[in-house]
Amino acid sequence: MYALGLCARWLHLASSILLVGAATTIALAGRSDRPTARRWEHRVLLGSRGLALAALGSGLIVLGLQTALFEGRGGAALEAGSIARVLIETQAGRVWLVRFGLLAILAAFLWSRLHVESSLDWRAARAQAMLLGAAALVPAAAAGHAAAVEPETARAIALDGLHVLGAGVWVGGLLPLALLLWTAAAEPGADARPYAVLAARRFSRLALGVVLVLVATGTLMAIANVGNVAGLVGTAYGRLLLAKLGLVVAALALAAVNRAVHLGRLAGDGPTVGRPAMRRLATFLVGEGLIALAVLAIVATMTVTPPARHEAPTWPFSVRLSFAALEGAPAASARVLIGSQIAVLGLVGLAAGLAIRGRRLPLVAGALVVLGAGVGLALPPLAVDAYPTTYLRPSVPYHAASIASGATLYREHCAACHGAGGAGDAPAGLRLARPPADLRGPHTALHTAGDLFWWLTNGIPEAGMPAFGRELGEEQRWDLVNFLRALSSGYSARGMRPAIEPDRPWLVAPDFTFAVGPTPPRSLREYRGRRTVLLVLYELARARSRLAEIAGRDGTLALLGVEVIAVPVDAAPDAIKRIGPEPRVLFSVVTEGAQAIVTAYHLLAASPHVEFLIDRQGYIRAVTRGSGAAGDLDKTIAEVQRLNEERTAASAPEEHVH
Amino acid sequence: MRAWKVVVLLNLALVVGVGWGYVFWGLRAARLDRELALARAAAASGVEREWVVAGVVRAVLPELDVLVITHGEIAGLMAPMTMGFRAASPKIHEGISIGDEVRFTLRGVPPNVVVTAIEKTK
Amino acid sequence: MRSVPAQRAILEAPPTRVELWFNERLEPAYSRVSVLDQASSRVDLRDAAVAADDARRLSVSLPALAPGRYTVTFRVLSIDGHVVESKLTFTVKSWSRRTP
């Protein structure tokens, strides 16, 4: 079923693209009265009729299979009701309907016996075929991955549409052009040689521009759909893209040979001059066309493969490059700097070698050596150990409940060696072959969440760290990773003050879920983009005066867009009752979920009374540690006002998780 | 017929077809949407309704006959929030104190609703 | 994907609805979610719908749930034609102490 689906998709895509190419090539070559040219045009037209039927037929199969997929049962592919539902109620169905309608009109148009003797009729008919072909092809972009790109969906669809249109003109034009050259190069077709040569020249000029458009739109779409190197080498979609790129480079190499060598040899008026070159060019064009058809097969596979940006990448190498490796290593930094300068020198030399005509070979060779030396010097210090899971995104969100669960697991499984506080100072740890690292340290920035996950799962045999892959479930290991992230964030956050650093958000606030009495649970994330949150971790005995102070300015805070969430550190379920009528506290007092919040946020700042100011993007911007005595709320309000005045909205913390 | 005439007619038919489709279906759908929104708004107002809501008491103001309650979403009336509600009679808040988790009945024509009954759930 | 209640959440108060946020916009006609109790019988109010203002959010309402473990199963179709099918669980702890 999968194979049938791929074949149908490929056939549909290829025929839709070839239809555009055939029409453009005829229009490009122009009207001619020479018999061979007329014969070629007629053949391409016959081919187009076949292509239109193929596109319609394969389109029906694609629709049937899509219906079966959407409905979740194979039988639906043949039920009129299910198909109608897909056509009317899904975007893919509506796009299909539009495209199929246009393809049907195009087919009817191609099959109709129009007389195109006059120049006006010819131009109208050929332009119409081109227009209908393009109109039937481009909307496909609105049913593909581009439609799911956010933000700027419209831009992504436009880019994708431009990309397939470009592919139609270039890829679709190769085979008709080869046919023209082949026919004209044959003995009885000699009358059309100048016509064929002119067409080849025009096509070459157009193709150069189109390829540039394809490269530009393709790059932008790859960034949107793949995102990073890990997605490119570590996911099915990314690898398909790499395979596609490999084939495209091969096709472009052929195209470059055609342009540089064959095209120039087409000239000449003698009866035999240029003929072999025409045939060779035709052969090369066919080769290019076949590669392009293979590219389309990969593209058809990519359309049914989830894009890399939503997949968990498996890193295939044992190292990765990271600038974090240079922190605190001046010698390595200097080496990278010098190496990169040498590499730039090599690049300049390479550019010069390609630009200058004389002595090209030695110059290019020398430049390559310099470039290689520079890269060889600069890269090794940047290399950091990497594992298959290095770029894996946590499947458990950075949430207080996960951190709290991680904290418990840490006490049970890790503290014996790593120490209760993560300093790596426990007696059992100090006896190991390699003492455990200080988990609080900022060096954790060097390791991704996926690295930590790998070590937890597989251990570090050479250091004596055991593997926990069997003992702890996947979610528990991610809980530990989240705990370690909070632990090291707390270390970095030691310097956080009650005053914000304008425009410098960096400390991500762990999400948390809480409830006030029997109301449904809410989460911190719900305030994102809407409210600033003042999270108050209080100890009632000491904090009455501070709570009274905040309650007294409730209205002002609300006007400034502040949501106050107070969390009793003892996590008492009757916290509201305990506060009682005085002070009259009306902001949220957490009665459920407090335990996890206290555990997680005390890792970030441990103090009997502590207040976190969390901005609208979900970053902790200020931390006030105190005793709970009434302080100066005006200061907090001033900080909120500064937050409200910030213009640059940082993007929300990455939490691309499944 | 001349080919250029066919082309012109074909494109004309396409444009007219799409335009007619928009006028017929697109405008009709937009009108139906508006009517639906109006009908919904009409249904939600002007009629006395009743809700049973869970919440936690935050303050009791006997002098105003007002209870301040943190509550969840009240379907068709308001989002979850902390809010003062007028009690239908002073009797209602007898025995109710701060921190009590309650289930209360709201009745009235929105937005004028009063608490008609309340009971502790804990 | 993200949800409220979160995967594996242990709740003191029963939720009134389950909300799921996806990375891509959904096709409302082909996006289903149901909540099952331990006996695998369906407990949600069968009003699952994609939010009108945010096509990435799918939610369903719940009646007052008894304590226990619940499974949320969903099958959604994203706007670019991919079907995602999965499930998550949450536990309601002690609703009993609240019933009058």
Side-chain angles (χ1 to χ4, degrees):
Chain A
M1 200 56 107
Y2 182 72
L4 174 67
L6 280 189
C7 288
R9 273 177 185 274
W10 174 76
L11 187 58
H12 187 67
L13 182 67
S15 47
S16 303
I17 275 184
L18 287 172
L19 273 171
V20 173
T24 7
T25 316
I26 292 180
L28 207 60
R31 200 170 91 91
S32 168
D33 290 326
R34 303 179 193 230
T36 308
R38 299 284 288 267
R39 213 166 54 237
W40 166 73
E41 194 185 326
H42 186 63
R43 275 203 219 160
V44 174
L45 218 57
L46 285 182
S48 296
R49 289 179 182 174
L51 286 172
L53 289 187
L56 288 171
S58 53
L60 283 174
I61 298 176
V62 169
L63 175 67
L65 293 177
Q66 206 148 37
T67 305
L69 172 74
F70 291 0
E71 293 275 346
R73 45 195 182 87
L78 299 173
E79 291 167 14
S82 307
I83 290 177
R85 200 157 92 95
V86 168
L87 285 179
I88 294 166
E89 298 197 11
T90 70
Q91 179 151 326
R94 289 187 291 264
V95 167
W96 187 94
L97 211 52
V98 169
R99 294 192 50 236
F100 199 82
L102 288 167
L103 274 174
I105 295 173
L106 175 60
F109 187 76
L110 289 172
W111 282 89
S112 65
R113 297 181 181 280
L114 290 176
H115 293 287
V116 290
E117 302 310 322
S118 86
S119 170
L120 176 65
D121 286 341
W122 189 90
R123 267 189 255 156
R126 298 303 174 247
Q128 183 67 13
M130 216 160 72
L131 187 72
L132 282 172
L137 177 64
V138 170
H145 292 143
V149 171
E150 278 178 63
E152 299 186 57
T153 313
R155 175 176 164 272
I157 292 177
L159 282 177
D160 200 11
L162 201 57
H163 195 76
V164 288
L165 188 62
V169 172
W170 180 46
V171 170
L174 294 169
L175 295 178
L177 186 64
L179 183 66
L180 173 60
L181 287 165
W182 199 263
T183 319
E187 206 64 47
D191 62 309
R193 267 171 47 214
Y195 173 77
V197 170
L198 189 65
R201 293 239 161 87
R202 285 186 184 156
F203 181 80
S204 171
R205 227 170 299 144
L206 179 65
L208 185 67
V210 167
V211 164
L212 291 179
V213 169
L214 285 174
V215 169
T217 52
T219 308
L220 290 172
M221 285 191 318
I223 291 170
N225 279 327
V226 177
N228 55 26
V229 178
L232 191 62
V233 298
T235 64
Y237 188 90
R239 287 176 191 158
L240 283 170
L241 181 59
L242 281 179
K244 178 185 171 184
L245 285 179
L247 287 177
V248 166
V249 166
L252 286 178
L254 285 184
V257 172
N258 286 342
R259 240 183 110 75
V261 181
H262 296 136
L263 212 56
R265 295 194 183 151
L266 290 181
D269 286 330
T272 53
V273 180
R275 260 189 204 168
M278 279 169 86
R279 252 181 247 124
R280 252 198 311 278
L281 177 55
T283 315
F284 267 67
L285 284 174
V286 169
E288 224 181 306
L290 291 180
I291 295 177
L293 287 178
V295 169
L296 294 184
I298 296 179
V299 172
T301 318
M302 285 168 84
T303 56
V304 294
T305 309
R309 71 197 133 104
H310 294 326
E311 294 300 295
T314 310
W315 185 248
F317 311 115
S318 64
V319 291
R320 66 190 172 97
L321 300 175
S322 166
F323 280 103
L326 299 181
E327 235 158 81
S333 303
R335 186 176 157 183
V336 170
L337 193 67
I338 294 168
S340 58
Q341 298 290 329
I342 294 175
V344 168
L345 201 67
L347 280 178
V348 171
L350 199 61
L354 292 176
I356 296 168
R357 286 192 179 264
R359 296 198 177 197
R360 183 175 279 178
L361 205 62
L363 198 53
V364 168
L368 282 177
V369 169
V370 173
L371 180 64
V375 168
L377 194 63
L379 291 191
L382 296 177
V384 178
D385 283 347
Y387 311 92
T389 61
T390 288
Y391 288 99
L392 207 56
R393 290 175 285 248
S395 62
V396 177
Y398 187 48
H399 189 284
S402 167
I403 296 169
S405 148
T408 311
L409 291 168
Y410 180 86
R411 266 199 308 280
E412 291 166 4
H413 298 279
C414 318
C417 292
H418 285 282
D425 53 0
L430 295 174
R431 283 198 297 274
L432 287 174
R434 196 170 85 196
D438 184 347
L439 297 174
R440 304 167 307 172
H443 74 272
T444 6
L446 244 179
H447 310 301
T448 65
D451 286 341
L452 298 176
F453 185 76
W454 180 264
W455 291 323
L456 284 168
T457 307
N458 300 298
I460 308 175
E462 64 273 24
M465 157 131 179
F468 291 95
R470 281 162 189 273
E471 207 168 329
L472 301 176
E474 188 186 327
E475 285 175 345
Q476 289 179 307
R477 279 171 274 151
W478 282 121
D479 287 344
L480 271 168
V481 170
N482 282 332
F483 165 75
L484 291 174
R485 177 176 171 190
L487 189 69
S488 87
S489 291
Y491 190 79
S492 315
R494 286 167 308 164
M496 273 264 181
R497 298 277 164 267
I500 66 160
E501 277 183 85
D503 299 311
R504 273 209 57 208
W506 59 271
L507 182 61
V508 176
D511 193 14
F512 56 79
T513 307
F514 69 97
V516 181
T519 60
R522 317 191 75 178
S523 67
L524 173 67
R525 211 182 174 287
E526 289 173 41
Y527 297 100
R528 193 175 286 176
R530 303 194 296 126
R531 312 274 286 170
T532 305
V533 170
L534 180 65
L535 180 68
V536 181
L537 270 55
Y538 71 90
E539 196 175 304
L540 187 60
R542 306 196 223 182
R544 276 192 180 278
S545 56
R546 178 65 173 174
L547 291 179
E549 191 183 12
I550 297 172
R553 304 290 293 277
D554 228 357
T556 311
L557 288 167
L559 276 177
L560 289 171
V562 179
E563 186 77 23
V564 179
I565 302 174
V567 188
V569 294
D570 60 357
D574 57 348
I576 295 174
K577 198 160 269 188
R578 286 196 193 185
I579 294 174
E582 198 50 50
R584 181 176 289 158
V585 169
L586 297 183
F587 47 73
S588 292
V589 174
V590 174
T591 56
E592 274 157 22
Q595 193 63 62
I597 302 173
V598 171
T599 307
Y601 277 79
H602 270 175
L603 287 171
L604 298 175
S607 173
H609 181 97
V610 55
E611 296 175 9
F612 298 88
L613 194 59
I614 302 169
D615 72 12
R616 287 181 164 82
Q617 274 71 44
Y619 291 94
I620 297 175
R621 300 297 299 277
V623 177
T624 311
R625 300 165 180 83
S627 61
D632 191 353
L633 197 60
D634 284 334
K635 276 188 187 156
T636 309
I637 288 172
E639 294 307 318
V640 171
Q641 277 165 334
R642 286 172 74 193
L643 275 184
N644 288 347
E645 279 162 18
E646 273 187 358
R647 213 172 295 159
T648 51
S651 53
E654 179 68 38
E655 50 162 341
H656 214 124
V657 290
H658 279 256
Chain B
M1 195 160 43
R2 293 279 301 270
W4 72 267
K5 288 184 183 164
V6 173
V7 166
V8 168
L9 274 180
L10 180 61
N11 288 326
L12 211 60
L14 273 175
V15 168
V16 169
V18 169
W20 182 79
Y22 171 72
V23 169
F24 190 76
W25 292 107
L27 293 186
R28 195 156 157 244
R31 200 187 67 227
L32 288 175
D33 272 350
R34 269 198 308 278
E35 281 175 7
L36 185 66
L38 281 179
R40 278 203 182 130
S45 67
V47 187
E48 191 180 80
R49 294 177 69 188
E50 192 181 280
W51 295 265
V52 178
V53 190
V56 55
V57 176
R58 305 302 302 273
V60 183
L61 314 172
E63 65 280 11
L64 297 171
D65 275 342
V66 162
L67 289 160
V68 182
I69 301 175
T70 301
H71 61 79
E73 186 179 341
I74 307 177
L77 186 64
M78 64 179 83
M81 62 176 75
T82 300
M83 161 99 190
F85 293 99
R86 192 172 291 279
S89 78
K91 262 193 190 161
I92 285 172
H93 45 76
E94 272 173 20
I96 297 290
S97 57
I98 290 173
D100 283 343
E101 295 188 5
V102 295
R103 193 193 303 268
F104 60 103
T105 307
L106 275 181
R107 188 195 294 247
V109 180
N112 301 312
V113 292
V114 293
V115 178
T116 54
I118 192 164
E119 57 179 350
K120 287 197 230 181
T121 53
K122 189 168 136 182
Chain C
M1 200 221 107
R2 186 169 68 77
S3 68
V4 171
Q7 155 74 324
R8 292 186 306 154
I10 296 171
L11 306 170
E12 305 255 348
T16 53
R17 52 201 299 111
V18 172
E19 300 204 302
L20 307 167
W21 282 264
F22 294 85
N23 292 317
E24 298 180 338
R25 283 179 295 140
L26 304 177
E27 290 285 7
Y30 289 90
S31 296
R32 296 191 289 267
V33 56
S34 48
V35 183
L36 310 176
D37 63 12
Q38 268 152 313
S40 286
S41 53
R42 191 164 170 188
V43 296
D44 60 275
L45 296 178
R46 292 168 195 264
D47 63 346
V50 173
D53 56 340
D54 179 5
R56 287 179 296 179
R57 192 173 87 227
L58 177 65
S59 59
V60 64
S61 312
L62 296 170
L65 295 180
R69 194 174 147 88
Y70 293 88
T71 307
V72 181
T73 65
F74 56 89
R75 183 182 197 275
V76 299
L77 175 63
S78 63
I79 198 87
D80 58 353
H82 293 293
V83 172
V84 179
E85 206 167 357
S86 187
K87 60 173 87 175
L88 53 93
T89 60
F90 67 87
T91 306
V92 177
K93 222 162 67 178
S94 51
W95 173 237
S96 52
R97 79 183 164 92
R98 299 171 179 285
T99 21

